[in-house]
Amino acid sequence: MRVLVLGAGFGGLELTTRLSEALGDDADVVLVDQADGFVFGFSKLDVMFGRTIPEAVHHRYADIVKPGVQFVQATIESIDPQAKRVETDAGPFEGDVVVVALGADLHPEATPGLVEGGHDFYTEAGAFALRDVLAGLDGGRVVVGVTSTPFKCPPAPSETALLVHDLLSRRGLRDRSEVALVMPLPVPIPPSPVASQALLAAFEERGIEWHPQRLVRSLDPDRKVAVFADDTEMPYDLFLGVPVHRAPEVVAASGMTVDGWIPVDPLTLETSYPDVYAVGDVTSVGTPKAGVFAEGQAAVVADAIIARSRGGDSAGYDGRGICYLEFGDDRVAKVDVTFVAGQAPFGDYEDPSEALAAAKGEFGTSRIRRWFGRDWVAHPTA
Ligand SMILES: Cc1cc2nc3c(=O)[nH]c(=O)nc-3n(C[C@H](O)[C@H](O)[C@H](O)COP(=O)(O)OP(=O)(O)OC[C@H]3O[C@@H](n4cnc5c(N)ncnc54)[C@H](O)[C@@H]3O)c2cc1C
């Protein structure tokens, strides 16, 4: 049984690793991605705020050496879910089972003025370029804003506002600066009221302006103002934006999407096409777009494929995810939320601590160890 995995992000890497761990050389997995390596979303913040360097957070796919797995670096140009076949710039590939894990594409150019007058911090290029911009920042009004929904990792804009405050404070620039956070949501993390309360208290304590339920529609680079959907405006000296998210064009063109994303069975992650699954940000499964959820969904699909290959049963998706939240001052909080269709999300929250910062570090290094078979130093001191 050949398994064709489209996309080597959080979902694709976890799926491939599980299949290889369980089936060894009997696995027949082809993993396709256009990039030459993987970067964690949270590593983008680490680079941007000068805690590490781009080279230290880039994990080369060429280093993947796993029994039963072949990595192909190629751009997928079309997907035929009926035939379970893709065309790529390296030729066609077919699978008995296909798993679409192509994530969400980011479009800074879709927000007028963002490329010319602001900075996006969600793309690798945008976040890495911000490292120099923030290093040279001399104070002023910094606005962190979201330009559309849905967007990945809903806590990331809040983390960014807190880390901007931290950076300005450490450099003695906070007194002559303002930090504002503009979000389309009523509270910072709607599925977790207790984490939202902790964040709102932290914003208040640090003098970070909180502007809920507002979307930035455009920037006017000449006047240095962000323009909202109702035509009201907010001035900025430095704008840090979350860009528009869309399913990759190749997914939209495949006919698999409904309202922009791939619908799946929330328990099995099956699409409406037989033997075609989808996991992670590319789906509309009902969990937030975050790596931990992509990973949990990939585990369920892996178990189903292993059960099919070896016999036995597999469990359904439980909707659970753990998210680490940067509060600044080298402290990290933890949110644990479970999403079950038809129920309100439920979970726990742990206050920021240095111990949780270490746990977040281990979250990253343990994945790199399993996915790439090597140790990782996220924050080299050199
Ligand atoms: C600033 C920031 C901070 C974040 N922090 C966290 C965090 O702390 N915790 C967390 O859980 N999540 C976090 N996230 C979110 C997380 O990065 C994503 O939700 C996660 O990567 C989604 O996994 P995925 O497998 O669905 O897609 P991705 O990881 O995005 O992988 C998709 C892959 O598909 C490939 N691809 C796309 N189109 C094509 C094509 N046509 N041909 C070939 N390959 C293609 C891409 O190159 C990519 O490698 C953060 C995101 C950002 C931006």
Side-chain angles (χ1 to χ4, degrees), residues 7 9-11 33-34 41-42 74 76 101-103 122 153 280-281 289-292 294:
F10 240 100
D33 202 293
Q34 64 197 358
F42 55 75
I76 298 157
L102 291 168
Y122 263 45
C153 193
D281 289 357
K289 295 197 184 303
V292 283

Side-chain angles (χ1 to χ4, degrees), residues 7-12 32-35 38 41-42 44-45 61 74-76 101-105 121-122 152-153 156 248 250 279-282 289-292 294 324:
F10 240 100
V32 186
D33 202 293
Q34 64 197 358
F38 172 76
F42 55 75
K44 294 174 184 169
L45 300 185
Y61 292 132
T75 299
I76 298 157
L102 291 168
D105 272 3
F121 64 96
Y122 263 45
K152 300 187 208 197
C153 193
V250 69
V279 298
D281 289 357
V282 76
K289 295 197 184 303
V292 283
Y324 292 100

Side-chain angles (χ1 to χ4, degrees), residues 24 48 57 74 86 100 143 164 173 206 274 321 325 329 331 339 376 381:
M48 175 174 158
V57 299
V86 299
V100 185
V143 175
V164 168
L173 298 168
R206 292 160 175 78
L325 260 175
D329 206 15
R331 289 175 316 132
F339 292 80
W376 177 40
T381 44

Side-chain angles (χ1 to χ4, degrees), residues 45-371:
L45 300 185
D46 284 342
V47 171
M48 175 174 158
F49 287 98
R51 297 155 147 190
T52 188
I53 51 173
E55 301 75 48
V57 299
H58 184 262
H59 309 285
R60 292 179 343 132
Y61 292 132
D63 294 342
I64 298 179
V65 183
K66 290 203 175 298
V69 177
Q70 181 198 354
F71 174 75
V72 179
Q73 187 179 353
T75 299
I76 298 157
E77 292 166 339
S78 69
I79 305 171
D80 181 343
Q82 213 98 47
K84 289 175 280 170
R85 177 186 163 97
V86 299
E87 299 293 336
T88 79
D89 60 0
F93 294 91
E94 277 181 18
D96 299 301
V97 172
V98 174
V99 186
V100 185
L102 291 168
D105 272 3
L106 301 167
H107 292 275
E109 78 292 347
T111 302
L114 177 57
V115 176
E116 303 83 350
H119 298 266
D120 102 77
F121 64 96
Y122 263 45
T123 64
E124 225 172 282
F128 289 4
L130 270 165
R131 182 180 153 90
D132 289 342
V133 174
L134 288 171
L137 183 64
D138 193 28
R141 181 170 170 79
V142 184
V143 175
V144 180
V146 177
T147 63
S148 80
T149 57
F151 62 98
K152 300 187 208 197
C153 193
S158 300
E159 294 179 286
T160 300
L162 290 164
L163 292 171
V164 168
H165 165 87
D166 204 39
L167 178 103
L168 292 167
S169 307
R170 271 189 284 116
R171 301 234 308 262
L173 298 168
R174 188 62 180 98
D175 288 348
R176 52 191 169 102
S177 303
E178 293 165 21
V179 182
L181 174 58
V182 179
M183 294 265 278
L185 310 172
V187 291
I189 309 180
S192 177
V194 54
S196 292
Q197 275 315 315
L199 280 167
L200 290 173
F203 298 157
E204 174 132 19
E205 203 177 290
R206 292 160 175 78
I208 295 171
E209 294 170 29
W210 163 246
H211 301 271
Q213 291 179 306
R214 312 209 78 181
L215 266 184
V216 175
R217 286 285 182 228
S218 62
L219 298 187
D220 182 334
D222 294 334
R223 293 191 301 123
K224 290 219 150 195
V225 293
V227 183
F228 300 119
D230 60 3
D231 286 336
T232 55
E233 298 181 347
M234 177 181 282
Y236 68 84
D237 294 308
L238 178 64
F239 182 85
L240 308 178
V242 174
V244 170
H245 289 45
R246 293 184 193 135
E249 186 51 44
V250 69
V251 175
S254 73
M256 299 181 79
T257 57
V258 175
D259 294 333
W261 308 98
I262 304 179
V264 289
D265 180 314
L267 285 179
T268 63
L269 288 312
E270 288 167 301
T271 69
S272 53
Y273 298 87
D275 296 327
V276 180
Y277 297 82
V279 298
D281 289 357
V282 76
T283 72
S284 51
V285 65
T287 54
K289 295 197 184 303
V292 283
F293 294 105
E295 179 183 288
Q297 293 155 23
V300 169
V301 174
D303 284 353
I305 294 171
I306 293 161
R308 185 164 148 180
S309 167
R310 289 262 164 97
D313 293 331
S314 60
Y317 179 49
D318 65 4
R320 183 171 174 217
I322 288 172
C323 172
Y324 292 100
L325 260 175
E326 295 279 348
F327 264 71
D329 206 15
D330 297 325
R331 289 175 316 132
V332 168
K334 185 168 128 180
V335 189
D336 181 342
V337 196
T338 299
F339 292 80
V340 177
Q343 289 181 30
F346 56 92
D348 282 334
Y349 167 77
E350 277 180 55
D351 280 325
S353 67
E354 285 177 11
L356 285 174
K360 179 182 173 184
E362 178 53 25
F363 173 89
T365 50
S366 61
R367 265 111 194 122
I368 295 307
R369 212 175 291 128
R370 284 186 58 239
W371 295 343

